């Protein structure tokens, strides 16, 4: 399963990164004079980068409520239609929803509930279909108690059996997907994924309201992982049943009314649970979404811009009361293969990391699409002096080589769809050359890159990651020795011990303390340099109240309300 799974991971993150890269004029650098390795593919034309210029600052910060400056004094008002502009609406199926698409995640979240959800205002895990969940004394099982009043949109009860079948359906659809492989600790996952079993043994519906999830290994973070919209619960047989696209049966706060000409209209599943009368989600071309909104097309209340260009902040700020820049559950890093050539030397790896100016790279390549990473877990400031931008430290480390600094190879994908691969490779090469580190650029086709990534033949390379659920496990768990997603080959007892402690924790505080130790230990290997954390821009109309955006771009629909138009 390793190669297909790596392909799935790679394609998912590359699609995200390709969309994030905006083109400007041709750029040249010292790295353009470097020879390309004959074993790769010639990079061809010079890469492009985003235009320079001042960038507007969003008016609000993540995790804050947004809405009119002077909302009505009598509190929330019922009624109104919430109009949302997104670039993708998606398949109307949580199991097929892309983790890299804010629009698809929003739609899945409105139509389907999972066992848990994330309260962005309180910054804590809360129940959705589940009212309670408990960890067994020996940490080998989670038991979820479902809300006995929970029903699908057709009125049939949501049962533990439906949750079990939904999770098995997701794994069966693509066992190598990111969402499926987050369940690999569940007993019987491997046998089911390999078609050696008819069900996942660890998923047990004790009765209609009780689901037990047995584990081969402890996983304290499982309830948080299951908060992702991709784990939304559907009826046995799928959300469409026998009725086709327009007979979607969901478990969330809204139901499908119609889907016509790119406009998805949703109505409340229960009018007492939400304030608005309806939601209209409009698909707008990704290249035109901000221009269309800025020109007043559609009279939108919210617009989600996944991968903005520099001018988008200004245009959105002119159109909306607030522009929320919220972190997205995805980041980019540079991997340094400690088993490849000269990078076996820890001092050389440390010098490479110290020589890289991540802030300059993020500003030039991503603009407002991303923020310079301050750690492996977005929002955690773990870098300290381990995350680049220290040329003096690089110079001091290189003195130990007595003028004979080994050459470092930078590997990247040569593909027009992923032009920022070449851009970042050349920017890193420039910075290493300036620090006194000899560099060779080596480009590959996508397939050749993956082959060599799996084989451990790359030296310095850019990669990215998309989290599933709001938990540090999704970012740090992959660095376990021998893990399928451990693309940089980290092998550290300190990392493994810290991850084991986090997964076997009795409390959130204990787990987070252990994850913090794991993050510090990963950074100490000198094999990972956090580069960028992606963000989502959300334009918020003047009539919108009670909006708090989660890290995946979704929001709590029950808390949102619209001021009566004209007030």
């Amino acid at each position: 399963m390793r190669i297909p799974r790596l392909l799935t991971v790679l394609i998912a993150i590359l699609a995200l990164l390709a969309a994030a890269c905006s083109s400007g004029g041709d750029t040249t650098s010292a790295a353009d004079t470097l020879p390309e390795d004959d074993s790769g593919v010639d990079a061809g034309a010079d890469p492009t980068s985003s235009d320079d210029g001042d960038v507007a600052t969003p008016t609000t910060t993540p995790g804050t409520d947004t809405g009119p400056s002077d909302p009505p004094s009598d509190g929330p008002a019922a009624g109104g239609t919430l109009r949302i502009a997104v670039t993708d609406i998606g398949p109307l199926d949580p199991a097929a929803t892309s983790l890299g698409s804010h629009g698809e995640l929003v739609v899945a979240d409105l139509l389907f509930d999972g066992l848990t959800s994330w309260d962005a205002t309180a910054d804590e895990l809360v129940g959705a279909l589940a009212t309670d969940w408990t960890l067994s004394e020996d940490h080998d099982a989670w038991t979820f108690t479902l809300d006995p009043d929970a029903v699908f949109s057709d009125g049939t009860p949501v049962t533990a059996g439906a949750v079990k079948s939904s999770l098995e359906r997701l794994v069966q659809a693509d066992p190598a997907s990111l969402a499926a492989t987050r369940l690999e600790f569940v007993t019987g996952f491997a046998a089911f994924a390999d078609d050696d079993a008819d069900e996942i043994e660890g998923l047990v519906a004790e009765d209609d309201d009780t689901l037990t999830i047995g584990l081969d290994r402890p996983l304290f973070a499982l309830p948080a992982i299951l908060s992702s919209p991709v784990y939304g619960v559907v009826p046995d047989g799928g959300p469409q049943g026998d009725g086709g696209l327009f007979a979607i049966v969901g478990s969330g706060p809204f139901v499908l009314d119609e889907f016509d000409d790119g406009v998805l209209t949703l109505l409340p599943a229960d009018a007492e649970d939400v304030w608005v009368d309806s939601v209209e989600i409009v698909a707008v071309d990704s290249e035109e979404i901000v221009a269309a909104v800025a020109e007043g097309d559609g009279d939108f209340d919210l617009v989600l811009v996944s991968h903005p260009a520099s001018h988008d902040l200004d245009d959105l700020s002119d159109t909306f009361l607030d522009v929320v820049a919220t972190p997205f559950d995805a980041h980019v890093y540079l991997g340094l293969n400690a088993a490849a050539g000269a990078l076996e030397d820890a001092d050389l790896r440390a010098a490479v990391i110290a020589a890289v100016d991540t802030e300059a790279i993020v500003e030039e390549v991503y603009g407002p699409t991303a923020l310079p990473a301050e750690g492996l877990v977005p929002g955690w400031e773990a870098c300290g002096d381990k995350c680049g931008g220290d040329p003096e430290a690089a110079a001091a480390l290189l003195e130990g080589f007595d003028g004979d600094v080994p050459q470092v190879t930078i590997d990247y994908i040569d593909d027009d769809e992923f032009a920022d691969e070449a851009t970042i490779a050349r920017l890193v090469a420039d910075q290493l050359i300036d620090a006194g580190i000899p560099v060779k650029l080596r480009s590959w086709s996508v397939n050749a890159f993956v082959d060599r990534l799996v084989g451990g033949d790359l030296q310095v390379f850019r990669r990215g990651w998309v989290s599933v659920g709001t938990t540090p496990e999704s970012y740090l768990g992959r660095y376990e020795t021998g893990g399928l997603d451990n693309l940089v080959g980290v092998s550290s007892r300190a990392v493994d011990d810290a991850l084991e402690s986090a997964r076997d924790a009795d409390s959130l505080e204990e787990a987070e303390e252990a994850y913090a130790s794991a993050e510090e230990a990963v950074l100490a290997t000198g094999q990972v340099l956090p580069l960028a954390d992606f963000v989502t821009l959300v334009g918020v109309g003047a009539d919108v109240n009670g909006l708090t955006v989660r890290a995946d771009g979704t929001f709590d629909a029950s808390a949102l309300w619209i001021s009566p138009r004209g007030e």
Side-chain angles (χ1 to χ4, degrees):
M1 187 185 295
R2 180 174 175 84
I3 292 179
R5 178 167 169 183
L6 285 175
L7 282 169
T8 300
V9 172
L10 183 63
I11 290 170
I13 191 63
L14 285 179
L16 177 70
L17 303 185
C21 183
S22 59
S23 296
D26 290 342
T27 64
T28 58
S29 69
D32 290 328
T33 65
L34 295 173
E36 294 283 348
D37 191 311
D38 292 338
S39 62
V41 179
D42 185 71
D46 290 340
T48 58
S49 62
S50 57
D51 294 333
D52 293 329
D54 295 332
V55 178
T57 302
T59 58
T60 60
T61 56
T64 58
D65 290 334
T66 64
S69 302
D70 297 301
S73 58
D74 56 353
T81 295
L82 176 70
R83 284 180 57 82
I84 308 174
V86 299
T87 57
D88 302 290
I89 287 179
L92 309 185
D93 183 343
T97 294
S98 169
L99 288 163
S101 169
H102 303 79
E104 292 188 22
L105 288 167
V106 165
V107 171
D109 188 63
L110 293 176
L111 288 174
F112 307 96
D113 273 347
L115 289 171
T116 59
S117 182
W118 191 261
D119 184 331
T121 302
D123 194 30
E124 65 182 13
L125 192 68
V126 295
L129 294 175
T131 59
D132 185 46
W133 49 96
T134 57
L135 183 61
S136 64
E137 186 175 350
D138 52 6
H139 295 188
D140 65 349
W142 280 99
T143 298
F144 293 84
T145 302
L146 274 62
D147 182 351
D149 296 326
V151 295
F152 288 109
S153 57
D154 64 357
T156 58
V158 176
T159 65
V163 179
K164 170 183 168 67
S165 66
S166 294
L167 294 176
E168 290 175 339
R169 177 176 176 269
L170 178 143
V171 174
Q172 192 170 46
D174 184 0
S177 70
L178 288 171
T181 55
R182 295 311 91 185
L183 303 176
E184 63 186 349
F185 283 24
V186 177
T187 300
F189 169 86
F192 183 78
D194 293 337
D195 290 328
D196 292 331
D198 295 331
E199 63 177 348
I200 297 179
E201 179 186 348
L203 299 178
V204 179
E206 308 288 356
D207 53 45
D208 283 350
D209 299 331
T210 309
L211 177 74
T212 296
I213 303 181
L215 303 170
D216 288 333
R217 300 166 59 192
L219 186 58
F220 183 83
L222 180 62
I225 291 171
L226 293 175
S227 68
S228 172
V230 298
Y231 299 112
V233 176
V234 302
D236 190 13
Q240 296 174 1
D242 297 326
L245 176 63
F246 298 104
I248 294 293
V249 178
S251 54
F254 288 86
V255 299
L256 175 64
D257 180 43
E258 62 177 355
F259 190 10
D260 182 46
D261 195 25
V263 179
L264 183 71
T265 303
L266 308 180
L267 301 177
D270 186 336
E272 295 184 357
D273 292 339
V274 296
W275 293 104
V276 299
D277 288 337
S278 61
V279 175
E280 291 182 357
I281 303 176
V282 183
V284 183
D285 183 87
S286 60
E287 298 296 326
E288 302 174 0
I289 185 168
V290 173
V293 171
E295 292 170 5
D297 294 351
D299 193 23
F300 295 110
D301 298 297
L302 297 176
V303 56
L304 274 67
V305 184
S306 303
H307 311 297
S310 298
H311 65 272
D312 291 348
L313 277 168
D314 294 320
D315 289 344
L316 285 175
S317 297
D318 290 341
T319 306
F320 289 98
L321 174 73
D322 283 318
V323 177
V324 183
T326 181
F328 183 51
D329 278 335
H331 75 165
V332 182
Y333 63 91
L334 291 181
L336 289 79
N337 185 357
L343 290 179
E344 294 179 1
D345 190 309
D347 286 342
L348 182 59
R349 296 199 305 275
V352 168
I353 288 175
V356 176
D357 185 345
T358 59
E359 291 188 7
I361 292 173
V362 171
E363 180 178 358
E364 179 162 350
V365 177
Y366 298 118
T369 303
L371 300 172
E374 297 182 334
L376 296 170
V377 180
W380 290 18
E381 299 178 1
C383 274
D385 60 355
K386 303 182 184 70
C387 294
D390 192 346
E392 292 183 359
L397 287 162
L398 294 176
E399 287 179 0
F401 291 93
D402 296 327
D404 187 21
V405 180
Q407 185 181 69
V408 170
T409 299
I410 300 176
D411 294 286
Y412 65 97
I413 294 173
D414 172 35
D415 190 297
D416 290 341
E417 189 175 355
F418 311 120
D420 56 327
E421 281 274 317
T423 304
I424 290 176
R426 284 175 163 78
L427 289 172
V428 172
D430 277 347
Q431 293 173 354
L432 299 190
I433 292 169
D434 288 344
I437 301 174
V439 172
K440 177 173 65 178
L441 289 172
R442 189 165 57 180
S443 60
W444 307 94
S445 67
V446 173
N447 288 337
F449 185 94
V450 173
D451 287 343
R452 284 155 181 81
L453 184 61
V454 173
D457 299 326
L458 305 182
Q459 282 200 22
V460 178
F461 52 93
R462 184 199 69 154
R463 281 288 49 81
W465 191 250
V466 180
S467 174
V468 183
T470 304
T471 166
E473 170 67 30
S474 289
Y475 289 99
L476 298 172
R478 61 202 177 95
Y479 292 112
E480 181 179 25
T481 300
L484 291 176
D485 300 322
N486 189 352
L487 303 181
V488 296
V490 169
S491 180
S492 164
R493 175 56 64 87
V495 173
D496 295 343
D497 288 347
L499 288 175
E500 182 178 357
S501 295
R503 292 164 174 167
D504 200 26
D506 289 305
S507 67
L508 179 62
E509 293 75 14
E510 182 183 340
E512 289 189 343
E513 182 178 351
Y515 280 125
S517 297
E519 182 177 25
E520 182 178 351
V522 173
L523 292 174
T525 67
Q527 293 178 249
V528 184
L529 172 59
L531 182 60
D533 293 332
F534 285 105
V535 300
T536 301
L537 294 185
V538 184
V540 184
D543 295 326
V544 176
N545 304 266
L547 173 71
T548 305
V549 183
R550 304 184 184 105
D552 57 12
T554 64
F555 53 88
D556 181 2
S558 66
L560 190 147
W561 58 282
I562 303 294
S563 298
R565 307 296 184 181
E567 287 198 9

